[in-house]
Amino acid sequence: MTAETTDREPGAPGPPAEDRRYEQRGWYFYDFACSVYSTSVLTVFLGPYLTSVARAAADSDGFVHPFGIPVRAGSLFAYSVSLSIVLAVLVMPLVGAAADRTGRKKPLLAAAAYLGAAATAGMFFLDGDRYLLGAFLLITANASLAVSMVLYNAYLPQIAEPDERDAVSSRGWAFGYTSGAFVLVLNLVLYGGHDSFGLSEGDAVRICLASAGLWWGAFTLVPLRRLRDRRVPQGGAASVGSGWRQLVSTLKDMRRHPLTLSFLLAYLVYNDGIQTVISQASIYGSEELGLEQTTLIVAVLLVQVLAVAGALTMGRLAQVYGAKRTILGSLAVWTLILVAGYFLPAGAPVWFFLLASAIGLVLGGSQALSRSLFSHLVPRGKEAEYFSAYEMSDRGLSWLGPLVFGLAYQLTGSYRDAIVSLVAFFALGFVLLARVPVRRAVAAAGNPVPSRI
């Protein structure tokens, strides 16, 4: 085997504390490695740049024709992201099943990570009218990231004891936001001063895109060096067919854990609201509030920086009040953020920065604690399979929030009405999560119940 293994059987005592710390420190670095893709590539640079490349190839009516299909150039980025999600949803359960059957998460993590990193680095060659190349690289990188996160998240129950998971998960998110902010600052320096570096604006963007892929690939070496694979009982090949059969088996098995499914439903709803706020905030700022692009970029940086402090702070709060109560508190804050956003005055960057600060403080903690709480609800030996369902809830079903946002704008013509319509996701998510008896859910999954949960 490529990966180091251990003969410890499921249910046996965990590794010594120092061994766990060694793996945990390596685990943090995958967030550190891949978060630059989400921040610099997906959030800031690729959307506008790929759209400009598509427009360069468009006909007089503004359409490109990939494989003979008419697509408005301005829609190419959104369609490519959607297609990448569909692809990831098809692949994630198969990879999760294969990982649990063989115990070889690390080689699969390496394959997904380096495929995504290579696709991102390949964006350096995205120029002229090569919109098809850009769409292909985006689909590959985005789907690879989603698949790698299934495997990455599935390590959490194996490297952290139940009472440690909130803190460990929060530190992982903090590492990710730290690297995202740092690389974004470097990229913005290059982009803003491209003339002084003797580069065109397009050259600067392509370097920023490619550098994210190089960063992703380089720092992935750390978790691959430190994480260990665990042996599983003999018995099953991880073929494609067996993967599909395992997927059906997983879905049936999840019906035996209705409380775990209840949490997944709550997470699906409120996380859809979180993802929609993140993706639509720049549109709200530019179209409704009339803010400049530089203001929006500074706001993204502010979110990244404060999300580090927010994730660590909420991790500490979870140690005192429990993860469930802390998440519920964050959902209440998210609701207040949306209400405040509705009343933001146009052309006032300071108020927008204050709102971005509030988002940063609850963003990382909401996601980190949700991940750690779910890890307690996963039956032993099924980590990758269940986390594939978790990741599908995170990514594969994240179309509903943007649809509600778009319909609200279409019906009212107001982005303010559109942004406040998202309150429904946080209110419903709050109610659904509050109804989940998490201590009973942990016990029902066959796991030890932490003193605080």
Side-chain angles (χ1 to χ4, degrees):
M1 292 179 71
T2 303
E4 181 186 354
T5 60
T6 177
D7 292 319
R8 182 168 60 90
E9 296 296 329
E18 187 53 39
D19 290 347
R20 292 202 312 275
R21 300 291 184 272
Y22 181 82
E23 285 195 87
Q24 288 167 10
R25 287 190 288 267
W27 186 80
Y28 300 147
F29 268 92
Y30 190 68
D31 250 324
F32 191 83
C34 70
S35 290
V36 298
Y37 168 83
S38 300
T39 304
S40 291
V41 176
L42 204 60
T43 303
V44 177
F45 288 110
L46 185 57
Y49 186 69
L50 180 57
T51 301
S52 69
V53 171
R55 284 178 176 152
D59 59 22
S60 58
D61 295 322
F63 284 83
V64 291
H65 300 269
F67 310 108
I69 303 171
V71 174
R72 193 176 294 277
S75 300
L76 181 69
F77 178 74
Y79 289 154
S80 299
V81 172
S82 297
L83 186 56
S84 73
I85 292 172
V86 172
L87 177 61
V89 166
L90 293 175
V91 175
M92 282 190 292
L94 303 180
V95 172
D100 282 336
R101 279 177 172 270
T102 64
R104 296 179 56 138
K105 295 183 182 69
K106 193 155 71 168
L108 293 169
L109 175 62
Y114 281 108
L115 179 59
T120 306
M123 293 175 187
F124 178 80
F125 302 101
L126 176 58
D127 61 356
D129 58 359
R130 298 177 178 175
Y131 73 94
L132 275 178
L133 174 64
F136 172 75
L137 293 175
L138 169 57
I139 291 168
T140 302
N142 220 39
S144 297
L145 176 66
V147 171
S148 72
M149 291 304 293
V150 169
L151 300 159
Y152 168 69
N153 289 335
Y155 271 104
L156 181 58
Q158 297 179 332
I159 65 172
E161 295 299 314
D163 289 333
E164 298 177 307
R165 290 179 195 166
D166 291 339
V168 170
S169 183
S170 296
R171 290 189 197 108
W173 280 103
F175 264 58
Y177 284 117
T178 300
S179 70
F182 177 71
V183 174
L184 184 57
V185 168
L186 296 179
N187 287 341
L188 288 178
V189 169
L190 177 65
Y191 176 76
H194 60 84
D195 287 333
S196 60
F197 291 107
L199 300 170
S200 68
E201 183 178 349
D203 290 339
V205 170
R206 292 188 297 113
I207 292 173
C208 291
L209 294 172
S211 67
L214 296 176
W215 181 283
W216 185 357
F219 284 100
T220 295
L221 292 172
V222 179
L224 293 180
R225 175 68 180 86
R226 293 198 169 202
L227 291 173
R228 295 183 297 111
D229 279 337
R230 274 75 175 166
R231 293 187 189 276
V232 295
Q234 297 296 318
S239 66
V240 173
S242 68
W244 281 109
R245 289 192 295 272
Q246 184 63 53
L247 171 59
V248 174
S249 175
T250 300
L251 295 176
K252 291 180 179 178
D253 186 74
M254 292 188 75
R255 293 168 56 187
R256 297 173 46 241
H257 300 281
L259 297 180
T260 300
L261 281 175
S262 296
F263 172 80
L264 265 182
L265 176 61
Y267 175 74
L268 184 156
V269 173
Y270 69 74
N271 184 66
D272 202 353
I274 292 173
Q275 297 303 322
T276 306
V277 171
I278 295 170
S279 65
Q280 303 303 320
S282 60
I283 294 177
Y284 184 70
S286 61
E287 299 296 324
E288 185 67 36
L289 304 181
L291 301 176
E292 297 180 354
Q293 183 68 30
T294 53
T295 300
L296 300 177
I297 293 174
V298 172
V300 171
L301 273 172
L302 193 59
V303 169
Q304 295 292 310
V305 172
L306 290 177
V308 176
L312 296 176
T313 299
M314 287 184 62
R316 295 189 183 98
L317 288 174
Q319 293 177 351
V320 178
Y321 300 104
K324 177 183 173 180
R325 289 183 179 179
T326 306
I327 295 171
L328 289 172
S330 75
L331 298 183
V333 174
W334 275 108
T335 302
L336 294 175
I337 287 171
L338 292 176
V339 173
Y342 178 85
F343 293 104
L344 276 187
V350 173
W351 290 106
F352 191 73
F353 289 150
L354 289 174
L355 198 69
S357 300
I359 289 174
L361 289 174
V362 293
L363 174 61
S366 302
Q367 296 173 317
L369 293 180
S370 296
R371 177 172 64 185
S372 62
L373 179 55
F374 182 70
S375 73
H376 293 285
L377 310 180
V378 178
R380 286 185 182 272
K382 297 181 179 292
E383 293 87 0
E385 293 175 44
Y386 272 62
F387 267 109
S388 70
Y390 179 86
E391 195 70 15
M392 287 171 69
S393 298
D394 188 355
R395 299 175 184 274
L397 300 175
S398 58
W399 52 269
L400 185 57
L403 176 62
V404 169
F405 185 91
L407 287 175
Y409 177 74
Q410 180 175 330
L411 295 174
T412 67
S414 168
Y415 281 109
R416 293 184 186 274
D417 292 336
I419 200 74
V420 82
S421 71
L422 301 178
V423 167
F425 288 90
F426 295 101
L428 180 57
F430 184 99
V431 172
L432 291 173
L433 178 58
R435 292 170 58 88
V436 178
V438 292
R439 299 186 72 84
R440 186 148 55 92
V442 174
N447 295 320
V449 181
S451 57
R452 293 286 184 184
I453 186 90

